[in-house]
Amino acid sequence: MTSAAVAYIDQQALNHNLEIIKAQAAKQRIMAVIKADAYGHGLIEVAKSLQKADAFAVAHIEEAVALREAGISQSIFLLQGFANTKELETASTFGLISCLHDTFQLDLLESNPEYPVEVWIKIDTGMGRLGFIERSSRKVSAVAEIVQRLGNSQHVRLTGSMSHFAQADLPDADQTTGKNTEQLRRYQQISLPDTLTRSMANTAAIFTQEDSHFDWIRPGISLYGVSPFHDKTGAELGLKPVMRLVSEVIAIKPVKKNETVGYGGRWTAPNDTHIAVIGAGYGDGYPRHAEDSTPILINDHVYPLAGRVSMDMITVDIGPTPAVKIGDKAQLWGAGNPLETVARHAATIPYELSCRMTSRVKRVYV
Ligand SMILES: *Cc1c(COP(=O)(O)O)cnc(C)c1O
């Protein structure tokens, strides 16, 4: 018997989700965002599974190199581009497409003509994080200047631009702040050579803002079957959860009314009941801030978390006449108790939970 947590990754669900996303934006090309180890699902396996993706996007160059070394032949985008000459050389060697967000990167390009590369230009339309802006300020150069500078470098091929929404996941952001429309308008109004492709939509915008689809869409969280919206689950968008995090019941014990369970005595039994102890905790990446009543699925029945999450164990109220035995599987998230719901009970977002599983959780591809 093993009591360790296992993450089952459903490759069919992954491709189902890709199809659902394609149906939202049939004419666009798809840049599958697989940064952060494919949101915790496994970089290489996910990329190999998503054969119909037109391209992949990662944050770190090490991930891009790992993809090439694993034989991935689609285009690979570096969302933050290269950070120094060594990385520029790597981008050139492995044929990676670098997103440029700062003039230091143009300086590097201009002083290293021996490294030919393809680049996109990143435009800040309101995220306030990375990218060039429409008009230059003291610190940031205007897009037009950048395009012109790149045009002077024979070894640099500028083929596209991208921008990123700050709050596309807030369904009423437009009504209350107008921010999405404003970002979109700024991106549309920036004058760029017609030959450059454009890209703006993350998952939330793919599902809600059709006029932001442009040439390339950039789905991340939806590939994994998870919704970015507070008020909708992935299932409600037609998606299937890709990850199922499972462990086992390692003990069952009776608890009397008014007895407490776990660290700090956070949970008090409201009546005589039984507690199932499950072999998973924050040492696996299960959120320590999960509150009492966070749903745990055992034998297709939802039970409430009872008591504080420990490093290696969680405790669940399975009732006075339990239908659970030692060795039964307990699903911490997956269909039936979606990651979105668990995240809400832990005051975080599903993105964080799926990314931060620890290395002791084994991934099994099915
Ligand atoms: C992470 C990321 C995405 C994907 O966002 P989701 O909300 O997961 O769909 C798209 N574009 C950029 C620039 C990103 O950093």
Side-chain angles (χ1 to χ4, degrees):
M1 189 185 91
T2 168
S3 59
V6 177
Y8 293 94
I9 309 294
D10 180 346
Q11 291 170 305
Q12 252 170 20
L14 201 53
N15 280 290
H16 164 87
N17 297 335
L18 185 63
E19 291 305 319
I20 296 290
I21 293 161
K22 273 196 175 149
Q24 294 290 321
K27 294 195 290 286
Q28 282 72 18
R29 276 178 286 173
I30 297 187
M31 185 189 303
V33 180
I34 55 172
K35 63 195 181 193
D37 202 18
Y39 292 40
H41 293 68
L43 179 75
I44 305 295
E45 293 82 356
V46 165
K48 283 189 169 164
S49 182
L50 289 175
Q51 295 196 352
K52 289 194 197 144
D54 300 292
F56 294 110
V58 294
H60 295 156
I61 197 159
E62 291 79 7
E63 294 185 303
V65 171
L67 288 169
R68 280 284 181 260
E69 286 176 345
I72 298 299
S73 58
Q74 286 110 311
S75 298
I76 301 175
F77 286 83
L78 298 170
L79 290 171
Q80 300 164 17
F82 44 83
N84 50 50
T85 311
K86 184 86 198 113
E87 289 192 1
L88 169 58
E89 180 186 357
T90 305
S92 178
T93 307
F94 289 90
L96 311 173
I97 304 172
S98 302
C99 300
L100 306 180
H101 61 84
D102 194 286
T103 44
F104 87 82
Q105 294 170 313
L106 280 89
D107 298 342
L108 284 172
L109 284 171
E110 286 162 2
S111 47
N112 292 281
E114 68 275 35
Y115 303 134
V117 279
E118 179 173 348
V119 301
W120 277 27
I121 178 168
K122 195 151 185 168
I123 299 172
D124 182 5
T125 54
M127 179 68 171
R129 201 175 57 179
L130 294 184
F132 300 102
I133 55 172
E134 191 172 0
R135 270 181 256 297
S136 58
S137 67
R138 266 178 302 123
K139 288 214 187 92
V140 194
S141 305
V143 171
E145 284 168 50
I146 300 302
V147 171
Q148 195 179 26
R149 250 181 95 175
L150 290 169
N152 296 333
S153 294
Q154 296 293 310
H155 64 295
V156 180
R157 205 154 62 85
L158 173 63
T159 56
S161 74
M162 71 163 69
S163 191
H164 193 51
F165 282 114
Q167 41 178 273
D169 57 322
L170 304 180
D172 56 354
D174 258 350
Q175 287 87 317
T176 52
T177 65
K179 287 263 170 64
N180 293 338
T181 313
E182 176 58 17
Q183 277 199 255
L184 187 56
R185 190 192 60 76
R186 285 193 198 165
Y187 188 43
Q188 281 162 334
Q189 286 187 352
I190 277 188
S191 78
L192 289 162
D194 288 340
T195 50
L196 299 196
T197 54
R198 289 184 184 242
S199 172
M200 189 163 200
N202 58 0
T203 292
I206 291 167
F207 283 89
T208 58
Q209 197 109 33
E210 197 180 340
D211 46 1
S212 73
H213 289 176
F214 296 103
D215 305 303
W216 284 85
I217 55 167
R218 305 195 305 268
I221 196 83
S222 48
L223 287 169
Y224 312 103
V226 175
S227 161
F229 305 111
H230 303 276
D231 57 345
K232 271 204 185 76
T233 62
E236 290 174 279
L237 300 172
L239 305 167
K240 291 184 182 164
V242 171
M243 189 191 294
R244 214 157 61 80
L245 184 62
V246 173
S247 189
E248 270 182 20
V249 175
I250 57 174
I252 292 175
K253 63 191 298 253
V255 180
K256 289 244 176 299
K257 181 174 173 171
N258 292 331
E259 283 180 353
T260 62
V261 171
Y263 286 117
R266 183 178 74 179
W267 187 79
T268 304
N271 346 78
D272 291 359
T273 186
H274 289 78
I275 289 294
V277 182
I278 292 162
Y282 64 78
D284 301 285
Y286 191 84
R288 201 184 80 90
H289 292 289
E291 61 187 3
D292 292 335
S293 84
T294 304
I296 313 281
L297 206 63
I298 309 175
N299 303 334
D300 292 327
H301 192 287
V302 174
Y303 295 99
L305 183 76
R308 205 162 267 167
V309 171
S310 318
M311 189 183 290
D312 309 309
M313 284 175 268
I314 55 177
T315 41
V316 178
D317 181 4
I318 52 171
T321 51
V324 171
K325 53 188 192 315
I326 291 176
D328 282 354
K329 299 281 182 227
Q331 179 180 290
L332 308 180
W333 58 66
N337 57 343
L339 186 58
E340 295 91 314
T341 310
V342 176
R344 205 172 54 239
H345 280 279
T348 184
I349 54 172
Y351 294 75
E352 187 189 16
L353 294 188
S354 87
C355 284
R356 70 168 199 191
M357 277 187 336
T358 61
S359 56
R360 81 178 186 195
V361 178
K362 203 169 77 176
R363 291 200 204 88
V364 175
Y365 294 86
V366 291

